[in-house]
Amino acid sequence: MSPRKLKIHRHPAAKSNGRPPLLFIHGGYTHSLCWQVNFIPFLNAQGYDCYALDLSGHGASSGHEQLDEFGLADYTDDLIQAVAELPALPVLIGHSMGTLVAQRYLIDGKAAGVALLSPVPPTGTGGTASRLALTNPAFFEELPNAISGTPTTRTLQVMAQVYFSPDMPFEDTLQFMPMIGSESETAVSEMVILPFMRTGRRPDIPALVMGGSEDQVFPASLLFFTALAWRAKSVTVERAGHMLMLDPQWRDAAGALADWLATI
């Protein structure tokens, strides 16, 4: 179990609905603030106690100085620690890289359910990275500027094209750019070789897979493979991009998530 100091952001509902709490796991190159803008207030209002984890080396958790040493196993240890600190078994809600952390946790860990948003496909990131390099090579040119905190106007425009809905006004994306940060080179490498890593059994728990129809990182056509593996309900949010929780379509995504949560 991770000895690092982790930050779990706690957002209790004003009036709890008595259902399992929700534990949010962010994706790569960001931190838990991405959940706290729209999704958590929306679900708090419906009576869900919400918790958002900053993985090691991200946000308010410790380990920034050793970020590149962390792999998916370390992030899974973080999740084990976070679940142990909650008052009840949660529903896990992961985004992008966070979906891998949730799935690795569930090899041996327990949860009331799992929602995989904009999931890394079972084939890993190699194919999608190659496609992105062909369709938008500027992304890889500008990514170092984005994560180093020295973005140019071109950097911001390119990041917006890749991560957000085409309906998102460029000026609206600027408020979210401080959420971008460095990611572990170890974890990034592991996502490339994902097909060769241990998968383990998949527990028989309620599962939801959701993605945006305009996701430029992991195309919506790949949602089928994750949903098939989990025997999960699959939802495609029209016009949404990779950052479902921040796009103009976030209410559609949050509403679909809430509808599924009501069935647990």
Side-chain angles (χ1 to χ4, degrees):
M1 184 169 293
S2 171
R4 296 174 293 275
K5 184 177 180 181
L6 299 177
K7 177 63 178 180
I8 303 173
H9 301 266
R10 301 169 186 269
H11 302 273
K15 184 177 181 181
S16 176
N17 58 18
R19 294 182 179 274
L22 310 181
L23 178 55
F24 294 85
I25 310 119
H26 63 79
Y29 299 102
T30 187
H31 53 88
S32 65
L33 182 59
C34 66
W35 299 111
Q36 298 175 53
V37 176
N38 295 318
F39 267 40
I40 287 179
F42 179 90
L43 292 163
N44 271 165
Q46 299 195 28
Y48 290 98
D49 294 325
C50 297
Y51 301 82
L53 170 65
D54 279 330
L55 296 171
S56 289
H58 299 75
S61 288
S62 68
H64 287 260
E65 68 285 348
Q66 61 190 105
L67 175 63
D68 285 334
E69 299 175 16
F70 298 140
L72 296 176
D74 297 294
Y75 295 156
T76 303
D77 285 344
D78 293 344
L79 185 52
I80 292 172
Q81 180 177 330
V83 171
E85 294 185 21
L86 299 192
L89 204 62
V91 176
L92 304 178
I93 302 173
H95 176 258
S96 197
M97 184 186 74
T99 67
L100 296 182
V101 178
Q103 290 176 81
R104 287 177 65 92
Y105 164 83
L106 288 168
I107 293 174
D108 298 308
K110 295 183 178 180
V114 61
L116 307 173
L117 278 53
S118 305
V120 178
T123 51
T125 58
T128 55
S130 297
R131 180 191 59 81
L132 193 56
L134 291 173
T135 59
N136 198 336
F139 173 75
F140 293 98
E141 297 172 5
E142 296 296 340
L143 184 59
N145 292 328
I147 64 178
S148 67
T150 57
T152 64
T153 299
R154 181 175 184 254
T155 304
L156 300 176
Q157 291 172 336
V158 169
M159 294 298 110
Q161 290 169 3
V162 171
Y163 283 110
F164 293 103
S165 165
D167 297 332
M168 173 79 86
F170 171 67
E171 56 272 18
D172 289 353
T173 67
L174 300 181
Q175 63 181 308
F176 303 131
M177 291 305 159
M179 297 181 193
I180 296 178
S182 299
E183 188 49 67
S184 163
E185 292 184 5
T186 298
V188 170
S189 298
E190 288 177 340
M191 287 189 281
V192 174
I193 62 170
L194 187 62
F196 306 102
M197 299 180 70
R198 177 192 176 205
T199 56
R201 67 173 183 85
R202 292 182 173 87
D204 185 18
I205 60 174
L208 173 70
V209 172
M210 186 190 303
S213 68
E214 303 302 317
D215 191 334
Q216 300 301 304
V217 181
F218 304 129
S221 59
L222 298 177
L223 294 174
F224 167 81
F225 300 101
T226 301
L228 179 65
W230 280 88
R231 302 181 299 279
K233 175 181 175 62
S234 180
V235 173
T236 300
V237 182
E238 293 301 319
R239 299 292 296 173
H242 188 66
M243 300 301 287
L244 289 168
M245 71 290 284
L246 299 174
D247 271 341
Q249 297 81 11
W250 74 264
R251 288 185 182 276
D252 295 334
L257 177 60
D259 289 345
W260 172 75
L261 288 169
T263 68
I264 298 178

